[in-house]
Amino acid sequence: MAKSHALPLNERVCVNNTLQRLSDVVILSLLLALLAYRLASLHRHGTTWLVAFVCESWFAFILFLYLNARWNRIVYRSHPQHLANTYGDLPAVDMFVTTADPTLEPPIITVDTVLSLLAVDYPVHKLACYVSDDGSSPVTFFSFSESVEFAKLWVPFCKKHGVRVRAPSVYFSTTEPHLNSSADFIQEWRHNEYEELSRRVASVNNEDQIPNYHSNDEFKDFFKIESKNHPSIVKILWENKKGSEQEGIMPHLIYVAREKRPEHPHHYKAGAMNVLTRVSGVMTNAPFVLNVDCDMFANNPQVILHAMCLLLDSPDEVNNNAFAQAPQQFHRALKDDPFGNQLVVLQQSLVPGIQGIQGPFYAGTRCLKRRKVIYGVPPNASRFKKNGGRFIPRLQLLECRSKDNSTEMLSREELRLFYGNSMEFMHSAVQITAGISSPGLPGDLSSRVAVAEMVASCSYEFNTAWGDEIGWVYGSMTEDILTGLRCHSMGWRTVALMLDPPAFLGSSPVGGPGSLTQYKRWATGLLEILVSKKNPVVSVITKELMLRQCLAYLIILVWAVRSIVEVCYALLPAYCLLSNSTFLPNTSEVGFVVALTLFVTYNIYTLVEYFRYGLSVRAWWNNQRMQRIYSSAAWLLGFFSVVLKLLGISDTVFEITRKEQQRPGEDVDNPGRFTFDSSPAFVPGTAVMLVNLWAFAVGLLRVLRTTGPAGAVGPGIGEFVCSWWILLCFWPFLKGLGGRGRHGIPWPVIGKAMVMVCLFLQFYKTA
């Protein structure tokens, strides 16, 4: 309960962005002027002019979306030092960590993340950590079993000595005891213990390498099971028992592997998150939930305290923030962002702007949210109706307070259809959604294991509201965006957790395959949302999503659609050079000055924006070229994946991004250099590069041979510059033609790309 006359937990600051607004308006105005010129002179030009007009109209729409999202920039400053004065008793938090494959996601990375969470600055008895192993791997379970003893040393060490970075791999690689260190600090230095833990974890790659695997009862649940065909497994790795000698050493640590059967859909990460929600609901039932990916360690030990400042009610105001979302930032990120996936400028410029509307999107990780939001409760619960007109919160209150047996049974049946068959979970959900204070955690967590395994079964969600009205929402590979969209559609606001030092740090994909896989998955999932009945346009009409927030969502939801337009525009210069036509105004026309001014102004503006956030020219260029590569490769494949799904030909496939594990002093073979494999994602990009390379050569040869008068009809300098620009953007592919090993484009990819090139050449000849 908040105390009266308390100091503010946060302050809202409006950012002066007049220069940015002016720049955005100027660039959009120049583009509109070019469109007006094209429209006025459309009758004098051919098909290429019309295609350019359509593409540039789309670009104007995208620019408008960005202008809307960045118009009102807001930042919040949190004051965790005021929490003690405002709240005598902080709310409990359940922490979720998800992993799925010990090969692509090495267990030591997940262990590091969990250790950093266990050691955050927050009352130990208010925390519980749940690890979801979606691969049900005995190797992962072994890694966490081994880590418990080290955790009992590491957590007290961090809190006693005020360790700032509490992921041990990062801490021990950057910190050494000094001569002026205290005797206690030197004595309790845990580097050797961590090295031994890392060695034991790294030495086990399969169950046969686990010591005493077949004789240890802890592993009997893993005998003869398959990763996609096994019962639910819930194990308490550590319980912070009241009254025990080791009470308060560290929070609860629970391992969860949900049941999977081949005949039942498991809904990827969204399904795993819903299982963690139910398991934690019957075991600890904290009113707040923090979820992170396996490679996102807590970099700021006060991260939960800062988030609470943004989510808890103040004495004079009810807080309507559903969750606090930390931006994506990376540890040991490659210099100059060679793969354009660090998203520094996008987050720094876009997130404060969206925060000025309804708030940032849910990113699926690095997020502290209210549990009642997960259960589908809006800010004003009295307005919430389930399909059919049932007021769910009112029924939940009846369940808790009614003394009439008939009414109680009716309410229980309604709740069963909503939450599932578990009475224990129904009672826990009622306490959260009705705002009733919890009577306390069970004295013995082991007494809840059986019911936890029951709610983790694959059949539990049948004929319930899970995955639709409550929990993480199903129906898209980007379940995070879809779930956050539901929160905003209920009327909730959200807030960005932008801290210094950063709240969380993770690892970014390295190389071409990992980066393209990630962007393809994102583009696929986002388009699935756009073509579904849950898209933001529908939510504006039927629910409480703001129009401007809808436009902000469209920035990312149209990624896959953008690929079609951007590929067409990237092929226009090549088409004009081959067909001896033009899509740009002649140098003697006014339209040429407009187009040139637009090109120069836009690039200077984006370059200055990178300088503003402390980035280099090379980082700017890397992001420019990777934007072209992602749009013509990953986003394009995402588009066709959804088209095939809609046609019923094939379903979309969730692909896990490999988590890179780099150790200090490790000799990495030029990690910033672009790499290739035989993935279809490289075929469109290779084809675009080959088409422009061939067209540039043909156009240049035609210029050298021509003897016609100056000003003859045909491609001008603009078409050559644009084709050259495309080749610069696809320079990694050009180098890949002569590269070897993983730095060279495989012959099967080149062969498929050549087929596409031939089809394009045939098209221009017949057009």
Side-chain angles (χ1 to χ4, degrees):
M1 185 70 88
K3 302 175 184 177
S4 59
H5 308 296
L7 295 172
L9 298 179
N10 63 74
E11 56 181 308
R12 186 175 185 265
V13 180
C14 296
V15 179
N16 185 355
N17 62 333
T18 304
L19 184 60
Q20 178 181 291
R21 288 181 181 180
L22 181 62
S23 302
D24 287 344
V25 169
V26 167
I27 292 171
L28 182 58
S29 299
L30 286 170
L31 184 50
L32 292 176
L34 178 61
L35 288 173
Y37 180 83
R38 285 195 184 279
L39 191 61
S41 55
L42 194 60
H43 62 282
R44 301 198 307 266
H45 298 83
T47 306
T48 55
W49 202 266
L50 178 61
V51 173
F53 176 80
V54 172
C55 292
E56 288 160 0
S57 298
W58 174 263
F59 299 150
F61 172 65
I62 298 297
L63 281 176
F64 172 74
L65 294 181
Y66 275 94
L67 185 146
N68 162 74
R70 304 199 300 184
W71 194 256
N72 301 107
R73 300 188 67 195
I74 300 294
V75 295
Y76 283 89
R77 295 172 184 164
S78 50
H79 304 294
Q81 67 273 18
H82 297 168
L83 274 171
N85 182 57
T86 307
Y87 282 86
D89 189 28
L90 292 172
V93 178
D94 288 336
M95 303 180 290
F96 298 166
V97 181
T98 52
T99 184
D101 188 323
T103 302
L104 297 177
E105 300 170 335
I108 191 61
I109 293 180
T110 313
V111 166
D112 252 34
T113 296
V114 170
L115 289 171
S116 73
L117 293 175
L118 295 175
V120 294
D121 288 336
Y122 206 75
V124 170
H125 66 285
K126 295 287 187 177
L127 295 175
C129 184
Y130 295 81
V131 180
S132 170
D133 177 16
D134 231 24
S136 60
S137 168
V139 174
T140 302
F141 178 73
F142 167 79
S143 301
F144 280 98
S145 299
E146 292 292 299
S147 70
V148 170
E149 289 304 314
F150 176 76
K152 289 192 287 185
L153 301 173
W154 175 248
V155 174
F157 172 78
C158 290
K159 297 194 173 184
K160 179 178 179 179
H161 298 289
V163 172
R164 196 192 71 74
V165 180
R166 299 183 181 180
S169 65
V170 180
Y171 175 74
F172 289 124
S173 67
T174 57
T175 309
E176 290 288 344
H178 300 292
L179 294 176
N180 58 353
S181 299
S182 67
D184 283 351
F185 181 84
I186 295 175
Q187 183 180 357
E188 296 173 6
W189 180 256
R190 303 300 180 188
H191 183 258
N192 292 337
E193 286 93 337
Y194 180 71
E195 285 298 311
E196 177 61 21
L197 171 64
S198 299
R199 184 195 62 77
R200 292 198 305 271
V201 171
S203 66
V204 174
N205 296 311
N206 55 63
E207 61 268 22
D208 295 331
Q209 297 174 329
I210 298 175
N212 305 317
Y213 176 66
H214 293 285
S215 59
N216 191 335
D217 287 344
E218 286 294 319
F219 293 98
K220 65 181 181 181
D221 292 326
F222 296 93
F223 293 168
K224 297 181 180 179
I225 67 171
E226 301 174 6
S227 62
K228 296 183 179 180
N229 187 13
H230 63 85
S232 52
I233 303 171
V234 177
K235 291 186 175 292
I236 300 172
L237 296 170
W238 173 258
E239 182 177 358
N240 182 26
K241 275 190 177 180
K242 294 182 179 179
S244 67
E245 292 182 1
Q246 295 183 316
E247 179 186 358
I249 287 183
M250 69 180 213
H252 303 305
L253 180 59
I254 299 104
Y255 171 93
V256 180
R258 58 178 170 143
E259 181 184 16
K260 284 188 177 180
R261 301 298 179 191
E263 64 273 18
H264 293 298
H266 55 84
H267 302 292
Y268 309 112
K269 183 180 176 181
M273 295 303 297
N274 284 338
V275 166
L276 285 181
T277 302
R278 295 194 297 272
V279 169
S280 63
V282 298
M283 298 190 83
T284 49
N285 201 35
F288 288 89
V289 168
L290 169 69
N291 81 282
V292 299
D293 286 343
C294 65
D295 63 329
M296 290 283 172
F297 66 86
N299 180 66
N300 189 324
Q302 292 194 320
V303 56
I304 297 181
L305 295 175
H306 281 282
M308 285 300 175
C309 291
L310 302 172
L311 295 177
L312 293 177
D313 296 340
S314 62
D316 56 350
E317 184 181 9
V318 175
N319 193 312
N320 282 335
N321 290 327
F323 57 78
Q325 175 66 61
Q328 187 170 18
Q329 295 170 281
F330 301 103
H331 173 62
R332 295 197 186 110
L334 295 177
K335 184 181 179 182
D336 296 328
D337 193 9
F339 301 104
N341 54 15
Q342 295 174 19
L343 307 176
V344 175
V345 172
L346 183 68
Q347 293 181 130
Q348 291 292 332
S349 65
L350 205 59
V351 171
I354 299 176
Q355 192 160 239
I357 311 174
Q358 260 186 282
F361 314 141
Y362 172 48
T365 179
R366 312 175 307 277
C367 180
L368 184 74
K369 62 171 58 180
R370 304 176 190 273
R371 187 182 286 265
K372 70 177 183 179
V373 173
I374 301 174
Y375 294 161
V377 179
N380 185 352
S382 64
R383 294 205 308 266
F384 180 58
K385 283 188 178 182
K386 189 174 181 289
N387 288 341
R390 300 198 304 271
F391 287 83
I392 296 302
R394 188 177 300 175
L395 288 174
Q396 291 163 349
L397 290 172
L398 284 172
E399 169 70 12
C400 290
R401 300 174 182 175
S402 175
K403 302 301 182 182
D404 185 335
N405 287 335
S406 61
T407 303
E408 184 177 357
M409 291 303 296
L410 175 63
S411 301
R412 183 171 296 161
E413 177 62 18
E414 295 280 353
L415 290 170
R416 186 189 67 78
L417 292 174
F418 203 63
Y419 291 118
N421 288 321
S422 169
M423 287 300 302
E424 292 85 352
F425 181 76
M426 276 190 270
H427 282 295
S428 73
V430 162
Q431 291 172 353
I432 294 295
T433 57
I436 299 173
S437 300
S438 173
L441 301 179
D444 183 10
L445 284 185
S446 59
S447 65
R448 295 299 185 105
V449 170
V451 67
E453 290 180 338
M454 190 265 280
V455 298
S457 67
C458 57
S459 60
Y460 182 84
E461 297 180 354
F462 288 175
N463 299 318
T464 69
W466 284 100
D468 183 18
E469 295 179 75
I470 60 174
W472 272 254
V473 183
Y474 301 151
S476 168
M477 272 203 253
T478 50
E479 77 296 322
D480 44 9
I481 298 295
L482 190 53
T483 303
L485 174 59
R486 188 189 65 191
C487 293
H488 286 130
S489 299
M490 288 190 295
W492 285 100
R493 301 185 70 89
T494 56
V495 63
L497 187 62
M498 305 181 79
L499 306 180
D500 185 16
F504 299 94
L505 292 178
S507 59
S508 59
V510 176
S515 301
L516 291 180
T517 296
Q518 186 181 65
Y519 272 85
K520 178 201 168 189
R521 185 177 72 242
W522 289 348
T524 302
L526 293 169
L527 185 56
E528 286 176 324
I529 297 173
L530 186 64
V531 299
S532 73
K533 296 179 181 178
K534 300 173 183 177
N535 71 71
V537 177
V538 174
S539 296
V540 168
I541 300 171
T542 62
K543 299 182 181 179
E544 297 188 45
L545 185 69
M546 295 181 181
L547 176 60
R548 288 187 59 205
Q549 186 75 12
C550 167
L551 297 177
Y553 269 107
L554 289 178
I555 291 175
I556 57 173
L557 294 185
V558 299
W559 275 3
V561 181
R562 280 178 63 179
S563 67
I564 302 298
V565 179
E566 298 211 18
V567 168
C568 288
Y569 208 67
L571 292 174
L572 261 180
Y575 180 87
C576 291
L577 291 174
L578 290 170
S579 62
N580 200 30
S581 58
T582 180
F583 80 101
L584 289 172
N586 191 278
T587 52
S588 60
E589 299 179 69
V590 176
F592 180 82
V593 177
V594 176
L596 179 62
T597 305
L598 173 62
F599 178 80
V600 173
T601 303
Y602 175 78
N603 283 288
I604 290 178
Y605 169 65
T606 54
L607 179 60
V608 169
E609 200 169 26
Y610 273 75
F611 289 161
R612 184 191 310 164
Y613 298 115
L615 302 176
S616 64
V617 176
R618 190 171 185 84
W620 167 79
W621 173 245
N622 286 338
N623 278 266
Q624 295 298 308
R625 67 178 176 85
M626 288 306 300
Q627 175 68 35
R628 304 284 79 74
I629 291 173
Y630 288 140
S631 64
S632 67
W635 294 0
L636 187 64
L637 256 66
F639 176 83
F640 285 114
S641 295
V642 176
V643 170
L644 293 176
K645 176 183 177 180
L646 294 175
L647 295 176
I649 298 175
S650 67
D651 202 357
T652 52
V653 178
F654 189 92
E655 298 174 86
I656 300 173
T657 306
R658 177 180 291 276
K659 306 298 187 294
E660 301 296 331
Q661 184 181 9
Q662 298 179 19
R663 298 181 181 276
E666 186 178 7
D667 183 21
V668 181
D669 180 23
N670 193 5
R673 188 176 174 186
F674 206 86
T675 55
F676 300 88
D677 63 12
S678 298
S679 168
F682 294 101
V683 175
T686 305
V688 169
M689 179 271 297
L690 290 174
V691 166
N692 276 278
L693 182 63
W694 175 253
F696 192 85
V698 169
L700 189 61
L701 187 62
R702 183 185 293 116
V703 169
L704 294 176
R705 288 183 175 181
T706 187
T707 56
V713 176
I717 189 173
E719 283 73 21
F720 279 97
V721 169
C722 288
S723 185
W724 171 76
W725 186 264
I726 295 297
L727 288 173
L728 281 181
C729 290
F730 285 85
W731 186 254
F733 285 78
L734 195 58
K735 289 175 64 178
L737 289 177
R740 294 184 178 182
R742 63 196 187 103
H743 297 301
I745 303 176
W747 281 107
V749 172
I750 295 176
K752 295 171 185 175
M754 287 299 299
V755 172
M756 297 179 69
V757 171
C758 292
L759 291 174
F760 178 81
L761 295 177
Q762 183 63 31
F763 167 77
Y764 105 81
K765 289 179 180 178
T766 58

